[in-house]
Amino acid sequence: MICNICPRKCGVNRKIKQGYCNSPYDFKVARAALHFWEEPCISGKNGSGAVFFSGCNLKCVYCQNYEISKNNKGLIVSADKLIEIFENLVDSGAENINLVNPSHYLYLIAQALSKWKSPVPVVYNSSGYESAEALKMLKGLVDIYLPDFKYIRNDRSLRYSKAVDYPDVAKKAIGEMLNQQPKAVFVNGIMKKGVIVRHLILPGNTNSSIEIADYFKKIKRRLFKPYGAVCAVRGFNGIS
């Protein structure tokens, strides 16, 4: 497999050599459990069935999961084993299957979800640093997209994530997500379909966050169809 699945486009054969994400060809999973700390409409009362994938194609300097994203902590599992993990989470009462940091496994995830039809919504929980073209492989397989929109300024994305192209890439990726799931659907307060765009306010970068809010306000009539997206904003105190 010559891997160009994400915007880094390393072009390496991951069966032989690891690219920027430091990940093998096969799935590497760090944790799978009911997760109660997503947005309330995702976690619900029963918890989100979160599967944390090891490695990362972004590796932000402020990452709270650095042992997983940078140190690649986890175990290699087959596609069949991953589906078994999904089924165990469903049997445990998970509101959904929550694929956390899945970007560098997108191709294999599309294959797995094509084999296994989830009885609960599938959540694609990512940094927003996605290839819009690659995301098309997930059409009809993902119910909820949960991307970040981290940066709107190229110098910030370069400084904190070594991805100068992040703003343009994320805009296109979120546009594709909204094309696939244009309307947010809730049942008893739990999201079943749609897009939630998340943004983390970094210290010293408040003006950038305001620019992001203004950007989504500006494009909402053009890009967001009625009830097409929910925005969540968080603060962070871990970087100066």
Side-chain angles (χ1 to χ4, degrees), residues 185-203:
V185 177
F186 296 86
V187 176
N188 297 324
I190 303 298
M191 195 174 209
K192 301 298 183 179
K193 289 184 179 294
V195 179
I196 297 179
V197 181
R198 302 196 287 197
H199 173 65
L200 184 68
I201 302 174
L202 296 173

Side-chain angles (χ1 to χ4, degrees), residues 43-101:
S43 292
K45 293 181 179 180
N46 296 325
S48 178
V51 179
F52 291 80
F53 292 96
S54 305
C56 184
N57 69 340
L58 206 54
K59 299 181 183 175
C60 307
V61 297
Y62 48 82
C63 181
Q64 64 180 354
N65 291 327
Y66 69 92
E67 289 186 344
I68 297 172
S69 63
K70 294 184 179 181
N71 297 348
N72 244 30
K73 181 180 179 180
L75 298 175
I76 293 176
V77 300
S78 66
D80 288 340
K81 179 61 178 178
L82 184 66
I83 290 171
E84 182 182 326
I85 290 171
F86 292 163
E87 291 175 339
N88 288 339
L89 289 169
V90 172
D91 290 343
S92 297
E95 301 281 1
N96 45 61
I97 295 298
N98 184 355
L99 308 175
V100 183
N101 189 29

Side-chain angles (χ1 to χ4, degrees), residues 1-238:
M1 176 188 175
I2 303 303
C3 188
N4 290 305
I5 200 70
C6 89
R8 298 284 184 189
K9 296 190 180 299
C10 296
V12 301
N13 184 342
R14 281 168 55 179
K15 291 184 177 180
I16 301 173
K17 179 182 178 181
Q18 295 178 358
Y20 188 89
C21 65
N22 289 334
S23 299
Y25 173 78
D26 296 307
F27 293 112
K28 195 169 187 180
V29 174
R31 184 174 187 266
L34 294 177
H35 186 52
F36 295 89
W37 301 280
E38 298 287 11
E39 281 66 29
C41 63
I42 299 295
S43 292
K45 293 181 179 180
N46 296 325
S48 178
V51 179
F52 291 80
F53 292 96
S54 305
C56 184
N57 69 340
L58 206 54
K59 299 181 183 175
C60 307
V61 297
Y62 48 82
C63 181
Q64 64 180 354
N65 291 327
Y66 69 92
E67 289 186 344
I68 297 172
S69 63
K70 294 184 179 181
N71 297 348
N72 244 30
K73 181 180 179 180
L75 298 175
I76 293 176
V77 300
S78 66
D80 288 340
K81 179 61 178 178
L82 184 66
I83 290 171
E84 182 182 326
I85 290 171
F86 292 163
E87 291 175 339
N88 288 339
L89 289 169
V90 172
D91 290 343
S92 297
E95 301 281 1
N96 45 61
I97 295 298
N98 184 355
L99 308 175
V100 183
N101 189 29
S103 307
H104 47 299
Y105 286 114
L106 189 153
Y107 177 73
L108 292 181
I109 286 170
Q111 288 185 328
L113 293 178
S114 295
K115 289 175 57 179
W116 179 74
K117 177 60 178 176
S118 176
V120 296
V122 173
V123 181
Y124 191 86
N125 182 346
S126 81
S127 69
Y129 194 54
E130 309 276 351
S131 163
E133 189 63 29
L135 284 170
K136 292 178 181 179
M137 288 191 287
L138 297 175
K139 187 173 182 180
L141 301 174
V142 168
D143 302 287
I144 299 168
Y145 282 102
L146 190 60
D148 293 338
F149 192 92
K150 295 179 181 291
Y151 317 105
I152 201 165
R153 297 182 182 180
N154 302 89
D155 62 331
R156 298 297 192 270
S157 61
L158 177 61
R159 179 180 180 182
Y160 299 133
S161 300
K162 296 183 180 179
V164 69
D165 59 344
Y166 179 94
D168 290 337
V169 166
K171 288 175 185 178
K172 292 175 183 176
I174 292 171
E176 174 58 29
M177 295 172 185
L178 285 163
N179 284 336
Q180 293 184 27
Q181 293 296 348
K183 185 175 181 179
V185 177
F186 296 86
V187 176
N188 297 324
I190 303 298
M191 195 174 209
K192 301 298 183 179
K193 289 184 179 294
V195 179
I196 297 179
V197 181
R198 302 196 287 197
H199 173 65
L200 184 68
I201 302 174
L202 296 173
N205 288 271
T206 306
N207 287 340
S208 292
S209 297
I210 292 171
E211 283 184 38
I212 288 172
D214 288 342
Y215 168 75
F216 281 107
K217 180 180 179 180
K218 181 179 179 181
I219 68 169
K220 68 177 182 179
R221 291 182 181 177
R222 175 172 57 84
L223 186 61
F224 294 176
K225 298 179 182 179
Y227 310 107
V230 178
C231 291
V233 179
R234 296 178 176 178
F236 186 75
N237 296 315

